[in-house]
Amino acid sequence: MNQPDVDTAILGMSDIRKTYRLSSSVLQRFMKGSGRRSELTALAGVDLELRRGETLALVGESGSGKSTLGKTLVGSIGASSGIISYNGAPMPAHRDKELSRRIQMVFQDPYSSLNPRISVGSMLKELLLLHQIVPRDQVRDESIRILNRVGMDEDALTAYPSQFSGGQRQRIAIARALAVRPDVLIADEPVSALDVSVQATILDLFESLQKELGLSILFIAHNLAVVQHLSQRVAVMYLGRIVEVAETAELFKNPRHPYTRALIASIPRMSAESVNQQFVVHGDPPSPIDIPPGCRFSPRCTFAQDQCRKVDPTLQNIAGTVVGLHSSACLRAGELPIFSTILQRDGAQ
Ligand SMILES: Nc1ncnc2c1ncn2[C@@H]1O[C@H](COP(=O)(O)OP(=O)(O)OP(=O)(O)O)[C@@H](O)[C@H]1O
Ligand code: SF4
Ligand SMILES: [Mg+2]
């Protein structure tokens, strides 16, 4: 079994920013006539690393910038500024075929992510030949090997996407990503569109791929419950920034950002006790066109003080922990009330 290599980042993200210029019709919809700006900030300076051989979960509310970050990592959209590095070297703005092959993406919707007019066998053949993964006479055997790896059998080669269930289609989408032998998988909410009964089997598949193939996986999800048992580390995203990063068990036991606490408290079995109510956040996140001054979470934070509306906190190592193990972007990270006892009483890990 491969263990994550904590010393090496396969993907590094340094101050990644992405802004979109908005048309006047979009501005009217978002801003309702007040204080108009012409840009939407989807990523507001993301610092993060994906370590070799780990599954890192990226969690946050809708609109926080998770997919935008995933797309900048695979290169399907360009960042406005910042540096993405692969194996320690900055990636060029235009990636060659070899570099593109190494980072693959699996999307949320297995229905729209596969071409309905191409059979599974043709799809895999095209990729295997384009990237010269195997010689032409070995394409069929290699295609069967990949399908078997994702729990599908040889019969799938002659079938079309419409002939499969949602879970099977997601397996085929994963097979397509694996066919080119990537080092990194960016999985953007790959189970959100599936039935609950199917979700667990796809999560198991990601877990076995990480362990057996040594893949490095960025697993994007809306809620923490989905990734609790899958990921070694969790990064929490809020309004275009990473606000907390820690190993998964540590994050659940000792969350050091009020937003992370709110996400944990919103997991049903952890919110039963009234004492958790202090961590629940209300209302929607502010508009990414008009990010509040100071801490971007301050309008919704129970612990906000005056300084929080003036100082924009950056991700800092939690005092007393080894550098790189646990970071939070909260000015009051060291003063927040103890959380672990509450979770232990609720039966969490
Ligand atoms: N092409 C675009 N033009 C303008 N704004 C965009 C564009 N793509 C994304 N956005 C905006 O950027 C912000 C981040 O979007 P993104 O899709 O990355 O969020 P997300 O965290 O993946 O959300 P979800 O959980 O709903 O998938 C949102 O406010 C979104 O409306
Ligand atoms: S900096 Fe202040 S407002 Fe922001 S999360 Fe921490 S306590 Fe809340
Ligand atoms: Mg998304």
Side-chain angles (χ1 to χ4, degrees), residues 20 22 40 42 61-68 189 222 288:
Y20 291 105
L22 297 175
L40 180 152
E61 275 164 303
S62 183
S64 56
K66 306 179 298 294
S67 296
T68 303
E189 306 217 31
H222 259 97

Side-chain angles (χ1 to χ4, degrees), residues 76-348:
S76 63
I77 59 171
S80 305
S81 63
I83 297 171
I84 300 172
S85 43
Y86 174 75
N87 278 332
M91 299 237 255
H94 299 287
R95 302 177 192 179
D96 61 18
K97 198 169 78 177
E98 174 58 15
L99 198 49
S100 303
R101 174 185 75 77
R102 292 176 177 274
I103 307 168
Q104 293 292 315
M105 193 153 183
V106 175
F107 298 91
Q108 175 176 348
D109 183 2
Y111 291 87
S112 61
S113 70
L114 297 171
N115 186 334
R117 285 182 291 278
I118 299 181
S119 71
V120 173
S122 300
M123 175 189 80
L124 293 175
K125 179 179 174 183
E126 195 178 304
L127 286 168
L128 292 171
L129 293 177
L130 176 70
H131 290 276
Q132 298 174 308
I133 304 294
V134 290
R136 190 171 283 274
D137 62 354
Q138 291 173 29
V139 162
R140 183 180 164 80
D141 286 350
E142 177 67 7
S143 300
I144 295 169
R145 195 187 67 77
I146 298 163
L147 284 173
N148 291 164
R149 184 66 203 75
V150 300
M152 305 283 291
D153 64 30
E154 178 176 345
D155 296 346
L157 284 176
T158 52
Y160 289 80
S162 61
Q163 294 171 260
F164 297 101
S165 67
Q168 287 171 323
R169 284 187 210 203
Q170 199 56 294
R171 286 176 190 275
I172 292 164
I174 296 166
R176 177 180 58 185
L178 292 181
V180 299
R181 300 188 184 170
D183 301 325
V184 176
L185 266 192
I186 311 290
D188 190 355
E189 306 217 31
V191 299
S192 305
L194 304 177
D195 290 346
V196 174
S197 58
V198 181
Q199 287 187 1
T201 63
I202 299 294
L203 291 174
D204 286 347
L205 176 59
F206 275 101
E207 192 172 4
S208 69
L209 292 175
Q210 185 258 315
K211 286 178 179 162
E212 289 162 28
L213 303 181
L215 281 172
S216 310
I217 301 175
L218 183 71
F219 193 101
I220 297 172
H222 259 97
N223 73 67
L224 276 166
V226 168
V227 296
Q228 192 180 359
H229 302 292
L230 176 71
S231 60
Q232 283 83 48
R233 291 193 306 141
V234 177
V236 178
M237 196 165 198
Y238 185 77
L239 214 53
R241 285 263 180 87
I242 304 298
V243 295
E244 186 160 10
V245 192
E247 289 180 353
T248 307
E250 163 72 5
L251 189 103
F252 275 85
K253 281 192 190 122
N254 188 22
R256 293 299 193 97
H257 194 286
Y259 179 59
T260 310
R261 293 180 173 212
L263 289 182
I264 295 173
S266 70
I267 299 173
R269 70 184 166 81
M270 294 182 184
S271 59
E273 301 222 357
S274 59
V275 71
N276 271 347
Q277 289 309 310
Q278 68 175 307
F279 302 115
V280 172
V281 285
H282 300 285
D284 294 325
S287 164
I289 300 175
D290 196 16
I291 292 174
C295 173
R296 60 200 50 228
F297 189 58
S298 57
R300 301 169 84 192
C301 182
T302 325
F303 302 96
Q305 293 182 337
D306 283 351
Q307 59 164 350
C308 301
R309 288 177 266 276
K310 295 175 191 146
V311 180
D312 187 3
T314 55
L315 206 53
Q316 299 287 332
N317 203 57
I318 299 289
T321 64
V322 177
V323 173
L325 279 188
H326 193 166
S327 317
S328 163
C330 171
L331 298 170
R332 305 189 64 202
E335 305 163 37
L336 298 175
I338 300 286
F339 193 73
S340 57
T341 49
I342 298 164
L343 291 184
Q344 278 157 7
R345 204 165 60 216
D346 280 356

Side-chain angles (χ1 to χ4, degrees), residues 49-66:
E49 61 177 28
L50 176 65
R51 296 171 182 166
R52 187 179 305 283
E54 76 168 348
T55 297
L56 169 65
L58 179 64
V59 178
E61 275 164 303
S62 183
S64 56
K66 306 179 298 294

